[in-house]
Amino acid sequence: MSQKIEQIRGEFEAALEAVLDIAGLEALRLEYLSKKGKVASLMSELRNIPNEEKKSFGQKVNELKALVEQRLNARREELEAAAEQALIDATESYDDSLPAIEQVGSYHPITLVQRELEQIFLSMGFTVEDYLEVVDDFHCFEALNIPKHHPARDMQDTYYLDNGQLLKTHTSAAQNAIMKKYGAPLRAVFPGRCFRNESTDASHENTFFQMEGIMIDKDISISNLIYFMKTMLSEVFHKDVTVRLRPGFFPFVEPGFELDIKCLICGGDGCPSCKNSGWLELCPCGMIHPNVLRYGGIDPEEYSGFAFGLGLTRLAMMKYGIKDIRVFNKGSLKANSQFNAE
Ligand code: DAH
């Protein structure tokens, strides 16, 4: 009879080796350990065994039962661990330092427009410069040919610190430092945050962004200005734009202009977006005033240049169809996550 026990044990070991999954393991468990299973059927043999052998036979069957249980459990643990590892392998790109999938991050619309412009200007040989937000009166006004008590200051009221410094009202405030840093010839753009003491509404903000550009070299003329602005704007709007210049006054340029582009929506026929004029005012610009060059250490007899002050915030509003300027500083994830680089 002991032989029979050994035989069943051998069969069980072989069958266990062949099991590949939990379902197969469960079937094996039933085959051996259920009420009518192979181990129980051995017990029913007990009555055919001589009395003196009953005890040792019963012990052996019990040992087999314990062994089968223990081997099944061990195999179950092995199979469960393998299944878990397979799951981990299948999702191998998981990285818990990444943001949650439901809240995919995106850049702020101003950043998107700024980076796009930087690329365009870099491709035209300009450098991209950074500058301060807290500046002094000289850089924000004096060096730009806006002396104390000049009426042009009225339009640029800002926030003053106790030490006399102020939050810069325009990116033009960096012109002097950049001229001194590089000298002529020079091609640079400098984006930045600007501040004005304004009551806010849908089209006014006390904090906004501009991108200033200057190009200084021998014989720079208004034709160069028009060429660069037209090329840059055609890239931004992905179509050939028509530009025109109107006279405009800014103390730091002479002559000064307002640059308009033909309305992108109606093509110049007139529509609500361009207030029926067919043109959109886009960017003030002009030929750098000799005094400004002189303040920057550049000889106006030898060099000339153009400058422009592009409203990044306004450009982002036009490009993305944003009607209320206050959206930009709201810090609303809901609003900001709608923008993505093209
Ligand atoms: N800094 C001016 C402003 O914020 C804009 C400006 C006008 C910049 C003419 C220029 C320029 O460079 O040439 O109102």
Side-chain angles (χ1 to χ4, degrees), residues 45 55-56 58 60 85 108 138 148 188 198 213 225 240 242 291 299 326 342:
E45 301 273 348
K55 192 175 170 202
S56 102
K60 284 193 176 135
Q85 190 55 47
H108 191 279
F138 174 78
K148 295 220 161 40
E198 299 248 18
L225 168 63
D240 197 24
T242 309
N291 286 350
D299 182 0
R326 291 167 292 193
E342 282 154 21

Side-chain angles (χ1 to χ4, degrees), residues 108-110 313 316-317 322 324-331 336:
H108 191 279
I110 301 276
T313 303
M317 289 173 85
I322 298 167
D324 191 327
I325 194 171
R326 291 167 292 193
V327 163
F328 293 109
N329 294 342
K330 230 169 41 176
N336 290 348

Side-chain angles (χ1 to χ4, degrees), residues 39 61 65 76 105 130 142 171 322:
V39 174
V61 175
K65 190 178 174 202
R76 174 179 290 269
D130 201 8
E142 299 268 337
T171 41
I322 298 167

Side-chain angles (χ1 to χ4, degrees), residues 156 169-170 172 175 196 210 212 250 252-253 284-286 307-309:
Q156 302 204 7
T169 58
H170 51 179
S172 310
Q175 280 196 17
R196 291 199 195 167
Q210 293 183 337
E212 188 96 357
F250 306 93
F252 36 94
V253 281
C285 52
F308 59 87

Side-chain angles (χ1 to χ4, degrees), residues 277-291:
S277 71
W279 295 88
L280 295 169
E281 188 178 316
L282 202 74
C283 167
C285 52
M287 301 306 294
I288 302 174
H289 195 287
N291 286 350

Side-chain angles (χ1 to χ4, degrees), residues 153-168:
R153 289 198 180 207
D154 293 351
M155 316 227 289
Q156 302 204 7
D157 188 18
T158 182
Y159 305 94
Y160 287 82
L161 279 66
D162 288 342
N163 66 6
Q165 287 188 304
L166 48 110
L167 300 188
K168 75 166 185 259

